């Protein structure tokens, strides 16, 4: 580890560190525009200039200079100060004075650094250049006259997303960043370039001219659009969530967020259920809470009551429903709405055991029945990193473009019984082999054969468990921990013919199975569940309540309440608590704190933020075989997978334009 001095202070830095990283380790702030920790080094902007001895007597770009033994680095000399002022002066030569109308105003690197490191005025009096706007789709708004050519967006698209859609044309002052053919950026992580852009060249199209950052209340939350559990921040004003931004968590989402998790928030204010409804003579009619509870009590469910949890429900809601059913003497609980019935007697067998961060260190990966790019875009980013590190990746299922070279082994699940020779050899020589089982494989009963294959390939080794199940519902792991799983799946509940079924935000169920039951929908959007319901009780969305969520790797995380629910809508647990009174039973809690304490007492793992311990993988059944074809993946449209996304105008636009090729309509149409 080389030793060097930064502004007279001697420090030791890791081998391979750059001078910029050495300065940061010494506590010095180095300005930069093009450098980013997760992207390759470009050395474009020259803002990070420092003075280094021994070396030529001139300022040097610290981001591209390796730290070496005996270096003397100065970050505060007159030479450095003058050099940074000069660079800033050049950057501002063509930059327009757009700050009052720029959406980046208030959170702009160029603003901050021009104040801290720039001169008091410019010596340049020529005309500024102007660049025509580029079309980058329904999510990204461009004002390319503001672009300072840092190329962060280009490097992100190529290196992280794996889609070579954004690049630079021409040279020198004529250089322009564009999507080449001026088409929309068609990948699931495209809007991350907005966060990366240090100026206002790329901003959010749906959020344009909505608010200034200092007007917004910031709330820490969890993305519920998939099972990855990306850490997000909800920015709200009044009773409306205006935007969702990713938070840095290296173990989960690094600092990225899928376009759906970022932009479905406009659906939180549309198609909302804000009144109680009761179906009379085949039509829904407005009612009040007392009428609804009376109607449910009149059905006299006794122990003939079931609860089905949706994909975005928090653990507290599921526990409250479980407590209510338990008090009534029922254990008819299910969360796998689409009918899956895999064995959950050992949760380690349905967990992402290698962890999300760990999968990028795998050197051979077999993905069975998962369109990873749509089901979990942030896991696909990790798999791309694994490929960059030399991993061989194989897929069983219909072909799609995973954004990295991979071998598709066909649609036949019988391949799990006998792998092709090259695949078997790749796993035999792998030190950290991994299997990922997706929803399409689980639906075909491939869990047991996958476990048998894992045992055969020695997927579990000292310090490494490479057996993974990739869920795509934010509520799935929490629901399984709370017992929302029947042996035969939802078919068991339908066979029990319950008098009353509580649908907790469940919209993907085949409601025809429950034609003879009183269907009570407790949810927040007028989606499929509300259309099928006999009684609708308006509830809170994820942004309108505190709640615990468990992601696909068993990581327990907590989301905070950002805004209040609209109209007569109430937080889910309060509805279930009031329903308990109407049915004449006690559930043992009267406040959210009591509910949470009871839940943690019942399932202690839900009280520890971090990875839950599910123990070792179960012994595999060596005779387990699976036959059948994976005809299609469960997700048909990435942008419209849940009620909030389906209510979102932005998600509908993305679906129409990016997936179905609809032309953008002109205003006159």
């Amino acid at each position: 580890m080389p030793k060097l001095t930064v502004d007279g202070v001697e420090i030791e830095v890791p081998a391979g560190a750059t001078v910029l990283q050495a300065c940061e380790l010494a506590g010095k702030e180095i300005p930069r525009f093009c450098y980013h920790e997760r992207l390759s080094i470009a050395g474009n902007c020259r803002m990070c200039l420092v003075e280094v001895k021994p070396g030529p007597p001139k300022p040097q770009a610290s981001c591209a200079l390796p730290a070496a033994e005996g270096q003397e680095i100065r970050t505060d000399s007159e030479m450095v100060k003058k050099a940074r002022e000069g660079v800033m002066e050049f950057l501002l030569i063509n930059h327009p004075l757009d700050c009052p109308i720029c959406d980046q105003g208030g959170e702009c690197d160029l603003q901050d650094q021009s104040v801290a490191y720039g001169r008091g005025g410019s010596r340049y009096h020529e005309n500024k250049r102007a660049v025509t706007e580029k079309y980058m789709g329904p999510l990204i708004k461009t004002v390319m006259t503001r672009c300072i050519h840092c190329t962060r967006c280009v490097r992100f698209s190529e290196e992280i997303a794996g889609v070579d859609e954004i690049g630079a044309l021409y040279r020198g002052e004529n250089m322009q960043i564009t999507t080449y053919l001026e088409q929309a950026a068609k990948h699931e992580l495209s809007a991350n370039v907005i966060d990366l852009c240090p100026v206002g060249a790329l901003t959010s199209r749906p959020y344009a001219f909505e608010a200034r950052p200092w007007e917004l209340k910031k709330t820490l939350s969890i993305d519920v659009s998939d099972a990855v559990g990306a850490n997000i921040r909800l920015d709200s004003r009044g009773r409306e969530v205006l935007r969702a931004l990713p938070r840095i968590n290296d173990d989960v989402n690094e600092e990225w967020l899928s376009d759906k998790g970022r932009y479905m928030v406009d659906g939180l204010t549309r198609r909302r259920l804000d009144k109680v409804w009761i179906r009379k003579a085949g039509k829904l009619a407005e009612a009040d809470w007392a009428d609804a509870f009376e109607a449910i009590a009149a059905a006299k469910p006794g122990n003939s009551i079931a609860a089905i949890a949706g994909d975005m429900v928090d653990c507290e809601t599921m526990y409250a429903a479980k407590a209510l059913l338990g008090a009534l003497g029922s254990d008819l609980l299910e969360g796998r709405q689409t009918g899956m019935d895999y064995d959950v007697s050992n949760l380690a067998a349905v967990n992402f055991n290698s962890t999300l961060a760990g999968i990028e260190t795998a050197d051979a990966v077999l993905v069975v029945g998962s369109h990873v790019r749509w089901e979990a875009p942030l896991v696909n980013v990790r798999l791309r990193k694994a490929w960059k590190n030399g991993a061989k990746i194989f897929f069983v299922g219909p072909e799609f473009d995973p954004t990295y070279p991979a071998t598709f082994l066909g649609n036949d699940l019988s391949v799990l019984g006998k792998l092709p020779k090259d695949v078997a050899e790749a796993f035999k020589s792998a030190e950290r082999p991994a299997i990922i089982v997706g929803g399409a494989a689980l639906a075909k009963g491939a869990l047991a054969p996958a476990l048998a294959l894992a045992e055969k390939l020695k997927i579990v080794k000292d310090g490494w468990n490479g057996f993974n199940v990739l869920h795509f519902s934010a509520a799935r792991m929490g629901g399984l921990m709370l017992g929302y799983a029947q042996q035969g799946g939802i078919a068991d509940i339908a066979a029990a013919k319950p008098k009353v079924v509580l649908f907790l935000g469940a919209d993907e169920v085949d409601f025809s199975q429950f034609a003879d039951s009183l269907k009570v929908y407790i949810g927040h959007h007028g989606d499929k569940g509300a259309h099928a319901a006999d009684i609708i009780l308006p509830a809170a969305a994820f942004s309108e309540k505190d709640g615990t969520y468990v992601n696909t790797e068993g990581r327990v995380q907590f989301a905070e309440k950002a805004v209040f629910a609209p109209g007569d809508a109430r937080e889910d647990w309060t509805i279930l608590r009031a329903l308990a009174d109407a049915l004449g039973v006690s559930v043992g809690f009267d406040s959210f704190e009591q509910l949470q304490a009871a839940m943690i007492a019942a399932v202690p793992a839900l009280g520890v933020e971090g990875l839950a311990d599910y123990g070792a993988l179960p012994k595999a059944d060596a005779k387990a075989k699976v036959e059948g074809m994976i005809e299609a993946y469960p997700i048909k449209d990435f942008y419209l997978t849940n009620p909030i996304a389906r209510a979102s105008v932005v998600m509908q636009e993305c679906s129409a334009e990016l997936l179905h090729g609809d032309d953008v309509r002109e205003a006159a149409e």
Side-chain angles (χ1 to χ4, degrees):
M1 292 174 70
K3 286 184 179 175
L4 45 84
T5 61
V6 178
D7 292 342
V9 178
E10 187 174 76
I11 61 164
E12 199 171 19
V13 298
T18 63
V19 168
L20 186 149
Q21 290 167 327
C23 292
E24 294 209 320
L25 284 171
K28 300 293 179 181
E29 183 182 313
I30 303 295
R32 84 291 297 269
F33 291 112
C34 67
Y35 174 80
H36 191 278
E37 292 83 352
R38 301 184 199 278
L39 304 176
S40 62
I41 292 167
N44 292 346
C45 72
R46 321 308 285 182
M47 195 64 209
C48 62
L49 294 172
V50 295
E51 189 179 345
V52 182
K53 293 178 183 174
K58 64 174 186 178
Q60 298 192 60
S62 59
C63 69
L65 187 65
E69 182 73 35
Q71 282 177 331
E72 291 178 34
I73 302 163
R74 292 289 305 275
T75 68
D76 56 0
S77 67
E78 191 59 34
M79 179 199 290
V80 170
K81 181 174 180 291
K82 199 170 180 183
R84 289 177 182 170
E85 284 180 354
V87 169
M88 181 59 71
E89 194 174 0
F90 276 122
L91 285 173
L92 293 175
I93 275 175
N94 282 313
H95 197 81
L97 278 171
D98 274 356
C99 300
I101 59 156
C102 178
D103 272 311
Q104 197 81 350
E107 44 193 11
C108 172
D109 290 355
L110 191 65
Q111 278 183 336
D112 297 342
Q113 292 183 38
S114 61
V115 169
Y117 304 102
R119 294 177 78 247
S122 173
R123 294 168 287 183
Y124 188 79
H125 300 295
E126 306 302 316
N127 293 330
K128 290 177 181 279
R129 77 164 192 163
V131 181
T132 54
E133 307 314 344
K134 314 296 179 195
Y135 182 70
M136 290 194 184
L139 303 179
I140 305 167
K141 177 175 179 251
T142 66
V143 184
M144 300 315 288
T145 303
R146 300 172 187 158
C147 179
I148 61 169
H149 303 160
C150 70
T151 69
R152 280 185 182 182
C153 54
V154 177
R155 286 175 284 147
F156 171 82
S157 297
E158 291 178 357
E159 297 163 16
I160 308 294
V163 182
D164 295 347
E165 288 189 338
I166 302 178
L169 301 179
Y170 318 125
R171 302 179 68 183
E173 192 182 46
N174 296 319
M175 179 174 159
Q176 297 182 22
I177 303 293
T178 177
T179 50
Y180 296 126
L181 301 175
E182 295 216 20
Q183 293 177 332
K186 292 183 182 176
H187 60 87
E188 300 73 30
L189 299 164
S190 64
N192 286 289
V193 298
I194 295 166
D195 296 336
L196 288 172
C197 184
V199 294
L202 303 177
T203 54
S204 170
R205 189 179 286 276
Y207 177 69
F209 309 125
E210 284 286 328
R212 287 301 195 190
W214 54 84
E215 297 177 73
L216 303 174
K217 175 187 158 197
K218 299 165 178 62
T219 310
L220 306 184
S221 190
I222 301 297
D223 172 31
V224 296
S225 67
D226 59 28
V228 172
N231 289 207
I232 60 172
R233 188 187 87 199
L234 295 177
D235 287 0
S236 57
R237 184 176 59 192
R239 300 187 73 155
E240 186 178 359
V241 175
L242 293 179
R243 64 176 179 177
L245 296 175
R247 289 186 282 136
I248 296 176
N249 186 330
D250 286 338
D251 294 328
V252 183
N253 58 306
E254 300 177 282
E255 60 186 83
W256 316 126
L257 182 58
S258 76
D259 290 350
K260 180 167 57 181
R262 184 186 297 263
Y263 281 117
M264 73 178 187
V265 292
D266 72 310
L268 290 168
T269 57
R270 293 178 170 86
R271 295 190 195 167
R272 287 304 301 267
L273 298 173
D274 57 1
K275 290 185 179 70
V276 178
W277 299 83
I278 297 178
R279 193 175 297 277
K280 295 175 181 174
K283 289 188 176 181
L284 288 169
E286 272 188 48
D288 59 28
W289 288 98
D291 293 339
F293 291 145
E294 202 176 293
I296 298 168
K300 296 183 179 171
N303 63 359
S304 182
I305 183 171
I308 298 174
D311 291 345
M312 300 188 292
V313 191
D314 56 295
C315 292
E316 284 80 1
T317 296
M318 289 189 279
Y319 179 78
K322 182 180 181 179
L324 173 62
L325 266 65
L328 289 164
S330 171
D331 62 355
L332 295 175
L333 304 167
E334 186 54 77
R336 298 165 295 180
Q337 302 177 68
T338 51
M340 287 191 279
D341 59 353
Y342 47 83
D343 180 23
V344 293
S345 55
N346 186 318
L347 288 183
V350 291
N351 185 46
F352 204 92
N353 294 293
S354 69
T355 72
L356 299 177
I359 195 66
E360 63 188 51
T361 65
D363 44 10
V365 184
L366 176 65
V367 183
V368 186
S370 176
H371 190 317
V372 192
R373 195 172 158 183
W374 279 7
E375 291 171 17
L378 297 170
V379 173
N380 202 52
V381 165
R382 304 277 193 180
L383 288 175
R384 181 173 164 77
K385 274 196 193 176
W387 164 73
K388 278 182 155 182
N389 294 333
K392 292 180 178 174
I393 303 177
F394 307 94
F395 282 86
V396 177
E399 291 194 23
F400 63 96
D401 176 15
T403 73
Y404 42 82
T407 305
F408 281 82
L409 306 177
N411 297 7
D412 195 341
L413 280 166
S414 62
V415 74
L416 297 181
K418 188 176 183 187
L419 292 175
K421 189 178 178 184
D422 58 330
V423 181
E425 285 177 359
F427 273 84
K428 193 175 180 181
S429 60
E431 289 183 14
R432 294 167 79 86
I435 292 176
I436 298 175
V437 182
L442 291 174
K444 295 282 186 181
L447 183 60
L451 281 165
L453 178 62
E455 202 163 277
K456 182 179 167 187
L457 296 175
K458 296 183 172 59
I459 294 289
V460 181
K461 303 183 177 185
D462 284 344
W464 173 254
N465 182 346
F467 186 80
N468 303 301
V469 169
L470 181 60
H471 301 290
F472 43 85
S473 305
R476 183 70 77 245
M477 282 307 290
L480 296 179
M481 290 169 77
L482 287 165
Y484 274 73
Q486 299 291 307
Q487 194 169 359
I490 213 157
D492 275 9
I493 291 184
K497 293 190 171 11
K499 290 181 184 175
V500 175
V501 184
L502 304 178
F503 294 97
L504 309 174
D507 290 276
E508 320 303 329
V509 184
D510 177 5
F511 293 96
S512 63
Q513 302 171 89
F514 303 100
D516 300 327
S517 305
L518 179 70
K519 298 181 281 295
V520 180
Y521 182 74
I522 303 174
H524 40 80
H525 275 76
D527 207 78
K528 301 170 190 173
H531 285 282
D534 299 310
I535 297 175
I536 296 172
L537 304 178
F542 78 99
S543 58
E544 297 154 4
K545 58 186 174 183
D546 292 332
T548 303
Y549 296 89
V550 186
N551 76 352
T552 191
E553 61 176 348
R555 186 178 298 278
V556 182
Q557 302 183 109
F558 191 74
E560 296 175 8
K561 177 178 179 173
V563 293
F564 288 97
D568 289 339
R570 300 287 181 266
E571 292 183 30
D572 309 53
W573 75 268
T574 63
I575 297 171
L576 293 160
R577 175 66 187 80
L579 184 55
D581 284 346
L583 295 172
V585 294
S586 170
V587 288
F589 56 84
D590 294 312
S591 68
F592 183 78
E593 289 71 25
Q594 290 175 0
L595 163 61
Q596 205 170 41
M599 178 185 78
I600 292 167
V603 186
L606 290 173
V608 183
E609 285 203 38
L611 292 171
D613 183 5
Y614 298 132
L617 280 181
K619 189 84 176 144
D621 178 5
K623 296 177 183 175
K625 286 188 173 60
V626 65
E627 291 178 353
M629 308 286 281
I630 297 177
E631 308 292 350
Y633 297 112
I635 294 179
K636 304 290 186 289
D637 188 323
F638 169 72
Y639 297 103
L640 303 176
T641 55
N642 63 62
I644 301 175
R646 288 192 284 267
S648 163
V649 173
V650 178
M651 290 295 96
Q652 290 169 19
E653 284 177 13
C654 286
S655 172
E657 184 180 343
L658 304 181
L659 292 186
H660 303 297
D662 293 8
D663 291 330
V664 182
R665 293 187 176 182
E666 299 295 334
E669 295 181 88

